[in-house]
Amino acid sequence: MNLETEQRQIRKQSIQAILLCAAVSVGCAVFLPKFVTFPTEVGARLAFAIQTSAVQFAVVVVAVRLVSSARYRSAADIGGAAKGPPSPELAVKVAFLQNTLEQAFLGVGAHLLLASVAGGRWLALLIASDVLFAIGRLSFYRCYSDGAGARAFGMATTALAALTCYLAASALLIGRLFGG
């Protein structure tokens, strides 16, 4: 592995993820409100945030299933994590599960924060976040074994989905603090 080559690939993949995230987020914010009426009351907004978080929960369930299925099928891994390090086949699935749990936690938090401070058109970002989370996780898992540069698009796409919601919520909160 050449560190500079991996870093260059990470930057390239991250730029592509930024472009995708911008396109999906703007597209959802511009076009979805023409077809969907988003909630405006805080309780309904929070319920919507939880409902849209079903994508994150579903991906965690899939990741757990990947790990449990691999353990079940492997003599080296059936004893569980306490019996020793995972086999190479299981290690990728465990890494995917761990990273997915982290990203899902951040993503659901981003959904709840944005929904707590904004309604209407802003909630289209929750739909964008779901689409990007699914794309990011699929890419991350499929490319994991090929190295950091290969999985960077998936990682960046997943992280940027949540970051977009956090930034929007932060901007709205700061605007409120200064009379906006």
Side-chain angles (χ1 to χ4, degrees):
M1 174 192 71
N2 181 314
L3 181 61
E4 289 181 18
T5 301
E6 285 291 314
Q7 290 173 333
R8 190 171 28 261
Q9 189 66 14
I10 290 168
R11 285 190 296 273
K12 177 184 172 189
Q13 295 295 320
S14 295
I15 290 169
Q16 291 175 351
I18 289 168
L19 295 173
L20 175 67
C21 290
V24 170
S25 297
V26 169
C28 284
V30 170
F31 295 111
L32 281 181
K34 295 178 181 183
F35 305 104
V36 177
T37 302
F38 292 104
T40 55
E41 190 273 324
V42 71
R45 294 188 328 241
L46 290 171
F48 183 72
I50 293 168
Q51 292 161 0
T52 58
S53 297
V55 170
Q56 283 85 345
F57 298 137
V59 175
V60 169
V61 168
V62 168
V64 167
R65 178 70 180 128
L66 288 170
V67 170
S68 63
S69 179
R71 278 196 199 286
Y72 177 78
R73 297 178 199 291
S74 169
D77 297 308
I78 200 161
K83 297 292 183 183
S87 66
E89 179 187 315
L90 181 61
V92 170
K93 291 171 175 59
V94 169
F96 175 69
L97 171 59
Q98 178 64 41
N99 189 265
T100 298
L101 284 167
E102 295 164 2
Q103 294 300 321
F105 179 83
L106 294 172
V108 171
H111 282 200
L112 292 170
L113 180 61
L114 181 60
S116 75
V117 299
R121 169 179 306 277
W122 289 103
L123 296 182
L125 292 176
L126 302 182
I127 304 298
S129 175
D130 284 346
V131 170
L132 295 166
F133 187 89
I135 291 169
R137 292 291 80 199
L138 179 62
S139 175
F140 183 83
Y141 181 69
R142 290 189 66 210
C143 298
Y144 191 92
S145 296
D146 296 328
R151 67 179 175 261
F153 175 81
M155 184 66 215
T157 300
T158 305
L160 289 167
L163 183 61
T164 300
C165 293
Y166 281 120
L167 291 174
S170 297
L172 292 166
L173 285 170
I174 290 168
R176 284 185 188 168
L177 286 174
F178 294 104

